[in-house]
Amino acid sequence: MKNIILTGDRPTGRLHIGHYVGSLKQRVELQNTEYEKFFIMIADAQALTDNYGNPSKVRNHIIEVMLDYLSVGLDPKKVTFFIQSEVKALPEITAYYMNLVTLNRLLRNPTVKSEIKLRGFDHEDKGIPVGFANYPISQAADITAFKATIVPVGEDQLPMIEQTREIVKSFNHVYEKEVLMMPEPLLSENEVCLRLPGTDGNNKMSKSLGNCIYLSDDSETLKTKIKGMYTDPTHVKVSDPGHVEGNIVFTYLDAFSTEADFKKFLPDYKNLDELKEHYRRGGLGDMKIKQFLFNIMEELLIPIREKRKYYEAHLSEVFEMLKKGTEEANGYADKTLLEIKEAMGIDYFTNASFFDEQLKKYE
Ligand code: TRP
C-alpha cells in the first residue's frame, strides 16, 4: 500500500526561510518519492479560528501562499493543492469527531495551551472561543478525510498528530470498523531547521515579531536584514574572541551552509567548523560572516524569486490549479465521509439497508 501524504499551512502571511528549512525544502524532496497522493492544504478555516476578526487577511494570503509554494519548486503535477474551507465534508466530519473528545483533553493539548496564552484568551475579558479550542479536532478531520498516512510537520504540530491518532483509534474502536487510517508525523531531520530563530535572535521567526526573511524578499531587503542581524555583543573588535552559540549568523549558517558554499564563496575555510574555530579564537569580523551568509541566501533565493515572478504573471494558472485541486480533494473527502457515516449507521439514503431494516420491523 502506498502512502498518502498531507500537510498544510495557515494563510496568514507570506512564507519565510524558516518555513523553507523547516518544511518546504523537505516537501520538495518528498514530491519526488513514491506515494499515492500528495496533498497540500491551505488551512483558511483554521486560520480564522484565531483571526475571526480579520477575514481579509486570510483571504489575501491564499494566493500569496500558493505563489510561495510554487516558487520553491513544489510541482502542481506532483502535488494537489486545495483550500480547506471549500472541502464541504470537513466540518461535517469534525462534528462527528467532537463526540469522541473531551473538553479537558482539548485544553490539555500543549499547542492549544501555549496559543491560549499567546492570544490572551486566558484573560478574563476574552475567554476561549469554542472554534479555537476545537481546532485540533478539525485538524484531525483534515488528516483523516484524505486517509493520510504521512503528515510532514514541524515540532509544534506533534500534539495535533497525537490528538488525531487518538481520534482514529477511538473512532475505529467505537464503530467497530477500520475506517480511518493511522497517520505518522514526519519531522525535518536537521535540528536547527525545526525552529529557526528570527533575525533578532530572540524568538522563532514570526511575521508578528518583524524578524523574518521572506522567500519573496528582494536582494536589497535581504542585504539589509542580514546586516542588521544579531551576532555576539561581546565581539566588539575584529580581534576579540567571539561566541558562536546564540550567534544568529552562525545559527543560520548551521541551517543553510554546505561545504560547496565554502568552496564557492569562502575558500579559505574548508567547512563551518573551521570558520567557527576562527571566530572563537578572534580575528574574524562580523562583516565577513554576514557577507558569506548573504551569498548563500542570495543563491538560494534567486531562482525562488524568478519562479515567483513567472507565476505572478500567470495568476490564472495558479487560480485554476487551486480550483482543480480543491475539486479533487472534495472527491476524496466525500468518499471518506460516506464511509464514516456508514460505520456510524447514519447512511439513511445512501444505503438501501436502512429502509430494508424498517420494512422488516413492520412486516
Ligand atoms: N496547524 C497547521 C499550522 O498551523 C496547519 C494545518 C491545518 C495542518 N491542517 C493541517 C498541518 C493538517 C498538517 C495537516 O501550520
Side-chain angles (χ1 to χ4, degrees):
M1 201 201 59
K2 281 196 198 162
N3 283 311
I4 294 184
I5 307 169
L6 179 136
T7 188
D9 302 281
R10 299 179 181 200
T12 53
R14 288 191 175 199
L15 301 182
H16 51 63
I17 59 165
H19 294 117
Y20 182 77
V21 283
S23 66
L24 296 171
K25 191 175 158 201
Q26 185 196 39
R27 294 182 199 175
V28 173
E29 287 161 9
L30 213 52
Q31 75 178 345
N32 296 320
T33 61
E34 257 199 57
Y35 47 82
E36 183 186 322
K37 197 83 194 156
F38 190 168
F39 289 107
I40 297 185
M41 155 190 289
I42 299 186
D44 65 328
Q46 186 177 109
L48 285 168
T49 64
D50 64 352
N51 287 281
Y52 44 86
N54 200 353
S56 64
K57 173 164 125 190
V58 174
R59 179 182 169 92
N60 287 332
H61 282 101
I62 288 187
I63 294 292
E64 293 299 337
V65 168
M66 262 307 273
L67 288 169
D68 286 329
Y69 286 158
L70 295 167
S71 73
V72 298
L74 285 169
D75 180 348
K77 289 194 205 70
K78 295 173 181 159
V79 177
T80 304
F81 301 100
F82 69 94
I83 301 180
Q84 183 187 27
S85 68
E86 290 287 345
V87 179
K88 307 299 190 298
L90 294 177
E92 189 173 342
I93 294 174
T94 304
Y96 299 135
Y97 292 172
M98 284 160 77
N99 300 322
L100 304 171
V101 183
T102 67
L103 209 46
N104 277 333
R105 173 64 183 88
L106 284 178
L107 298 177
R108 256 192 293 123
N109 181 311
T111 308
V112 170
K113 244 169 133 170
S114 68
E115 283 169 343
I116 285 172
K117 277 221 163 61
L118 200 71
R119 310 273 179 258
F121 289 150
D122 54 345
H123 294 162
E124 273 167 42
D125 55 334
K126 271 206 158 174
I128 304 162
V130 173
F132 174 80
N134 195 48
Y135 97 74
I137 302 185
S138 153
Q139 188 158 336
D142 297 342
I143 294 168
T144 53
F146 301 93
K147 305 214 166 174
T149 47
I150 295 192
V151 187
V153 283
E155 224 177 3
D156 62 322
Q157 293 295 306
L158 290 178
M160 299 298 155
I161 312 293
E162 194 45 46
Q163 179 87 73
T164 304
R165 290 173 61 88
E166 285 175 28
I167 290 173
V168 167
K169 201 167 158 222
S170 169
F171 186 97
N172 290 345
H173 176 74
V174 169
Y175 300 109
E176 295 175 356
K177 213 170 166 202
E178 295 291 308
V179 174
L180 304 180
M181 295 294 291
M182 196 58 90
E184 300 286 343
L186 181 67
L187 284 177
S188 170
E189 278 154 31
N190 186 343
E191 206 176 322
V192 286
C193 295
L194 286 177
R195 198 165 282 245
L196 193 76
T199 50
D200 56 356
N202 291 319
N203 286 294
K204 187 180 166 181
M205 189 168 278
S206 143
K207 58 200 161 280
S208 53
L209 298 165
N211 60 6
C212 299
I213 294 175
Y214 292 100
L215 293 169
S216 49
D217 277 349
D218 62 25
S219 193
E220 272 314 298
T221 309
L222 177 68
K223 188 160 253 168
T224 311
K225 287 182 178 174
I226 290 179
K227 261 196 189 141
M229 268 168 86
Y230 173 91
T231 55
D232 171 10
T234 68
H235 184 246
V236 184
K237 283 182 292 188
V238 172
S239 57
D240 288 341
H243 293 88
V244 165
E245 288 72 31
N247 183 325
I248 298 309
V249 177
F250 278 101
T251 308
Y252 280 34
L253 288 175
D254 275 327
F256 291 98
S257 74
T258 62
E259 291 204 3
D261 291 322
F262 279 91
K263 270 210 187 78
K264 198 158 176 186
F265 302 120
L266 211 56
D268 290 350
Y269 304 85
K270 239 199 5 255
N271 53 37
L272 191 52
D273 287 338
E274 277 188 13
L275 190 72
K276 284 180 176 173
E277 186 41 44
H278 191 185
Y279 194 81
R280 286 200 184 96
R281 241 181 10 244
L284 176 57
D286 284 350
M287 280 316 293
K288 191 161 173 179
I289 55 169
K290 285 184 173 176
Q291 181 63 42
F292 180 46
L293 179 62
F294 173 77
N295 290 339
I296 294 171
M297 301 289 320
E298 182 69 356
E299 190 175 61
L300 172 72
L301 293 186
I302 284 171
I304 293 179
R305 291 183 200 124
E306 268 168 20
K307 271 217 187 67
R308 199 178 212 278
K309 262 214 187 76
Y310 169 86
Y311 284 108
E312 283 172 357
H314 295 79
L315 272 188
S316 62
E317 256 178 61
V318 179
F319 187 75
E320 276 311 308
M321 248 174 239
L322 205 43
K323 206 169 146 209
K324 263 189 53 200
T326 303
E327 267 165 38
E328 214 183 328
N330 266 298
Y332 272 75
D334 283 343
K335 188 165 165 283
T336 306
L337 174 60
L338 278 181
E339 292 171 30
I340 285 174
K341 292 181 72 167
E342 190 187 10
M344 295 175 70
I346 55 174
D347 53 343
Y348 312 117
F349 298 137
T350 46
N351 199 325
S353 65
F354 170 67
F355 186 65
D356 292 346
E357 278 164 30
Q358 310 310 308
L359 268 184
K360 240 186 227 123
K361 213 158 74 182
Y362 290 100
E363 245 168 28

